[in-house]
Amino acid sequence: GDSVTQMEGPVTLSEEAFLTINCTYTATGYPSLFWYVQYPGEGLQLLLKATKADDKGSNKGFEATYRKETTSFHLEKGSVQVSDSAVYFCALNGGSSASKIIFGSGTRLSIRP
Amino acid sequence: GAGVSQSPSNKVTEKGKDVELRCDPISGHTALYWYRQSLGQGLEFLIYFQGNSAPDKSGLPSDRFSAERTGGSVSTLTIQRTQQEDSAVYLCASSFQGRETQYFGPGTRLLVL
């Protein structure tokens, strides 16, 4: 079945550092790919998405490109802030999963001032 | 416009009791989903509704779990004879028709003593 594998956490970085959180997926068909974020004490929010190969999703300085050839959707940000501290989930839907979202295990990111 | 709402926000119950969790989706969204977020299992899909019918119930962990949706809007997730392993955050999400972005509610945190 469909699955998502993402970088184990926790990840700790200093403010203004470059961030990459790796995500790869397995799916049949043509899934849409997502990054969701969960800030401390808050609900799950959509951060960005891409619906087809080579699409780039972006929001709040974060970017991820849908790479079909490497089945990847890595999350990047050029300069992180303390306020980016959260848990990040890579996810997919569509493919053989119909409408349900398949989530990765989540990566906890902590940013030091 | 209101987002997805869930009630109660927190629920503490004793092992063996039944609980009902409620979800109000975004107005006009025909697709509704229940997920569970627990420490050991991450984010897991439970059930998907399109209108009032549930074409995918594959994630319900046992026959103690059931869900219904009425009027194409509100949904209730019922857990009978709760067990300690049912302790988790139960998340509801909705989307416009089923293959678009899912928007999540704040969740119900369930603790079974």
Side-chain angles (χ1 to χ4, degrees), chain A residues 28-86:
Chain A
T28 57
Y30 303 97
S32 295
L33 302 175
F34 307 85
W35 278 99
Y36 280 85
V37 59
Q38 192 169 35
Y39 297 103
E42 297 186 17
L44 208 56
Q45 301 175 24
L46 178 66
L47 179 61
L48 54 84
K49 69 176 183 179
T51 58
K52 61 183 187 296
D54 300 325
D55 268 3
K56 178 185 284 188
S58 61
N59 186 23
K60 300 183 180 180
F62 291 89
E63 292 183 340
T65 301
Y66 190 142
R67 300 285 188 203
K68 192 169 174 60
E69 63 276 13
T70 54
T71 62
S72 64
F73 193 55
H74 304 322
L75 183 68
E76 295 183 337
K77 186 173 185 181
S79 176
V80 292
Q81 306 300 311
V82 172
S83 57
D84 294 326
S85 298

Side-chain angles (χ1 to χ4, degrees), chain B:
Chain B
V4 178
S5 61
Q6 294 185 244
S7 61
S9 53
N10 289 283
K11 176 73 177 178
V12 180
T13 191
E14 292 178 350
K15 178 180 169 181
K17 301 281 191 185
D18 298 353
V19 296
E20 284 190 352
L21 312 179
R22 177 188 167 106
C23 171
D24 277 275
I26 293 172
S27 178
H29 280 192
T30 62
L32 185 147
Y33 312 78
W34 284 98
Y35 295 85
R36 178 168 72 173
Q37 185 174 21
S38 56
L39 275 177
Q41 302 297 323
L43 270 159
E44 308 170 274
F45 166 80
L46 297 178
I47 187 169
Y48 155 55
F49 286 93
Q50 182 62 257
N52 292 334
S53 63
D56 189 352
K57 308 178 185 180
S58 63
L60 294 177
S62 76
D63 59 6
R64 296 186 296 104
F65 287 72
S66 63
E68 65 174 14
R69 189 178 185 197
T70 54
S73 181
V74 171
S75 176
T76 303
L77 177 70
T78 301
I79 310 173
Q80 295 179 309
R81 305 181 302 281
T82 51
Q83 304 294 313
Q84 289 181 333
E85 62 263 27
D86 300 335
S87 297
V89 177
Y90 290 82
L91 295 170
C92 177
S94 70
S95 71
F96 179 54
Q97 285 187 334
R99 290 188 71 87
E100 302 82 10
T101 300
Q102 295 181 24
Y103 296 91
F104 283 79
T108 294
R109 186 175 298 275
L110 175 66
L111 178 61
V112 182
L113 299 176

